[in-house]
Amino acid sequence: MAEDLVLDTAIRDWVLIPLSVVMVLIGVLRHFVAKLMRSNQVPDAKIVKEGQVVVRARNLRASANFIPPKSFRARRLYFSNEENGLLYVPKGQAQNAQAQMFSDPNMAMDMMKKNLSMIIPQTLTFAWVNFFFSGFVAAKIPFPLTQRFRSMLQNGIDLSTVDVSYVSSRSWYFLNLFGLRGLFSLILGEENATDDTQRMMQMSGFGFDPTKSLGAEKDSLDIVQHDWALPKFEQRAEAVLRKALR
């Protein structure tokens, strides 16, 4: 049977609160350091244009049923025409984005700066937490949990008799690491430099070819089955108004 623990208030004052405050301060510091290390490189106009074309094509697919069939066919032809469509990319014009990224020293340097500003603070903070706060039971979640959450909430505590709702100091560090994105968005704005998940996605997408997104969006737009959701809408509205006035 799981044991109930009585947490000392000193753990709250000297472990839980300082760890949370330090994580917030480190996140704010990382944001401003990343802004200082960021270069003022102007984005490529071609890449920006291709991104806007993809967004417009997605909006067309999302709202296709709210425009007449003739208008939808005209817009789809404008995007996916095999001769001069915005989404059509000839095979000879496709570029290797990875080679282009490695050939640009500024882009490679920006990527390295972003990785360093993410890895170094996390490594130092984890070493600090592991050295000073290892083994503490820092908090208790006010609702019961299953045994599957034990490895996530009690990292660093090898006691199977402790209830799963208790959180170790090391697990509290990871919860703050991935759970403070909403707070940073309120403090620093949506486009802040502390979103580690976004940076991981950028790292995993290193060498992404923007021309492939144009081709994928063209294929998705070609297979859309148009079903106009507003046939004879004026007549239906008129009938409803006449019925209401009677």
Side-chain angles (χ1 to χ4, degrees):
M1 183 177 179
E3 298 180 358
D4 291 333
L5 303 179
V6 178
L7 300 181
D8 192 354
T9 56
I11 296 179
R12 177 198 61 192
D13 299 335
W14 296 100
V15 178
L16 187 66
I17 296 178
L19 186 57
S20 303
V21 173
V22 168
M23 291 297 297
V24 173
L25 295 179
I26 289 178
V28 175
L29 181 62
R30 283 176 52 196
H31 171 72
F32 288 105
V33 170
K35 289 183 64 176
L36 292 176
M37 296 175 63
R38 187 181 305 164
S39 63
N40 297 324
Q41 184 181 4
V42 180
D44 190 0
K46 181 180 179 181
I47 297 178
V48 175
K49 180 180 178 181
E50 291 176 349
Q52 294 297 322
V53 169
V54 172
V55 172
R56 290 170 57 190
R58 289 176 181 173
N59 293 335
L60 176 60
R61 287 195 294 113
S63 58
N65 295 334
F66 297 98
I67 59 177
K70 183 178 180 180
S71 301
F72 172 74
R73 288 193 296 268
R75 286 170 172 81
R76 182 165 61 180
L77 183 63
Y78 176 70
F79 281 104
S80 60
N81 187 12
E82 295 293 340
E83 296 180 358
N84 55 0
L86 296 181
L87 295 175
Y88 177 70
V89 179
K91 295 183 179 180
Q93 295 183 5
Q95 298 179 355
N96 190 347
Q98 187 172 3
Q100 181 182 2
M101 189 174 296
F102 278 112
S103 63
D104 190 354
N106 294 326
M107 189 175 299
M109 183 63 67
D110 289 341
M111 182 65 66
M112 185 179 65
K113 290 179 180 179
K114 291 179 180 179
N115 296 339
L116 290 178
S117 64
M118 178 184 67
I119 296 174
I120 293 178
Q122 288 185 3
T123 304
L124 296 178
T125 307
F126 180 75
W128 171 70
V129 172
N130 196 35
F131 182 78
F132 287 100
F133 305 114
S134 179
F136 284 97
V137 178
K140 184 179 187 298
I141 297 177
F143 48 85
L145 296 172
T146 61
Q147 293 294 328
R148 294 183 178 181
F149 291 90
R150 182 178 296 277
S151 60
M152 182 179 68
L153 297 179
Q154 296 181 2
N155 194 322
I157 299 178
D158 298 329
L159 292 176
S160 59
T161 58
V162 179
D163 190 76
V164 185
S165 58
Y166 289 96
V167 183
S168 65
S169 56
R170 190 185 297 177
S171 297
W172 184 253
Y173 160 75
F174 287 110
L175 292 177
N176 281 273
L177 181 64
F178 296 104
L180 290 176
R181 286 181 295 170
L183 180 61
F184 288 139
S185 299
L186 293 176
I187 298 175
L188 305 173
E190 293 292 337
E191 298 296 331
N192 61 80
T194 61
D195 194 348
D196 294 330
T197 56
Q198 184 178 2
R199 294 193 179 191
M200 292 178 183
M201 292 176 62
Q202 292 176 357
M203 292 172 61
S204 62
F206 189 70
F208 173 71
D209 191 354
T211 57
K212 293 182 179 179
S213 62
L214 295 177
E217 190 63 32
K218 178 180 179 300
D219 296 337
S220 300
L221 189 60
D222 288 337
I223 63 176
V224 171
Q225 299 293 331
H226 183 267
D227 185 14
W228 193 21
L230 305 175
K232 299 181 179 180
F233 180 76
E234 294 83 0
Q235 291 80 357
R236 293 168 56 190
E238 182 181 357
V240 171
L241 290 176
R242 288 181 180 276
K243 185 176 180 181
L245 294 177
R246 291 178 180 176

